[in-house]
Amino acid sequence: MDKPIFIAGPCVIESAELLDVVACRLVEISNRLDVEIIFKASFDKANRTSLRSFRGPGIEKGMQMLGDIKQKYGLRILTDIHESWQAAAAAEVADVLQIPAFLCRQTDLLVAAAKTQRIVNIKKAQFLSGRDMRYPVEKARESGASDVWLTERGNCFGYNNLVVDFRNIPDMLEIVPRVIMDCTHSVQRPTSANGITGGDRRFVPAMAMAAKAFGATGYFFEVHPDPDKGLSDAANMLELDKLEDTLASILKP
């Protein structure tokens, strides 16, 4: 685990064209920096603030689109699942199944993900401490998961903001060897923008550097060529053009 793993991609699958633009750039960055970047996009955003918010193309079309990206660009794929029945279908394409933070204690979801034998990345709930994540990890491991990752994404106290306690990173490293910092979701201001999640992307690089100081072994960035036009998490996604410099800063000794 000498080099960190990077995870990057748009929050949600908006179009095949967007996936191509982002994947092509990720391959270029990966080659220049000699690091792995796992491609991330969601086929369904099932936890949007508003019923009217865009959710994505759904699992059948979405996994086909992600499969095309995997075949064309040779990138490993990460996507999140929200229901147990989605695990097997998503695992046909995805190398990493992500458990959303709000759902990290859902036993059936963890068990279903573990049984696929894919890597299971569990995002720490906004209402849990890092040490509390031993229990979701135990559920996944006892259900057959051979590789479990944990992701820090801040804590919420119900006041339209998140607070990141970076001590969660070393605490979770006592549970699993791979702990990832979600540098974009951690700058969210939940439901603070009239029915959508707000945020402040200018703090994304600083979140990454702080996580590095606390020993993070991976970094998660949602990116978009024009984040303000993104259909989900627009305020938090990092500009695609700024990703390479951000990764290069993390990689500096």
Side-chain angles (χ1 to χ4, degrees), residues 229-242:
K229 294 183 179 178
L231 300 182
S232 178
D233 268 346
N236 312 300
M237 285 192 286
L238 185 69
E239 297 93 334
L240 183 58
D241 286 342
K242 294 183 178 180

Side-chain angles (χ1 to χ4, degrees), residues 33 55 67 78 83 98 115 194 214 217 222 227 241 252:
L33 298 181
R55 288 183 55 170
L78 178 149
E83 299 185 58
Q98 183 165 274
K115 286 182 176 179
N194 296 319
F214 278 84
T217 62
E222 288 189 334
D241 286 342
K252 287 180 181 178

Side-chain angles (χ1 to χ4, degrees), residues 11 24 43 45 67 105 109 126 131 154 186 219 240:
C11 180
C24 184
F43 58 81
K45 300 299 293 185
R105 291 179 57 166
L109 185 61
Q126 298 90 330
R131 291 178 179 176
S186 59
Y219 302 84
L240 183 58

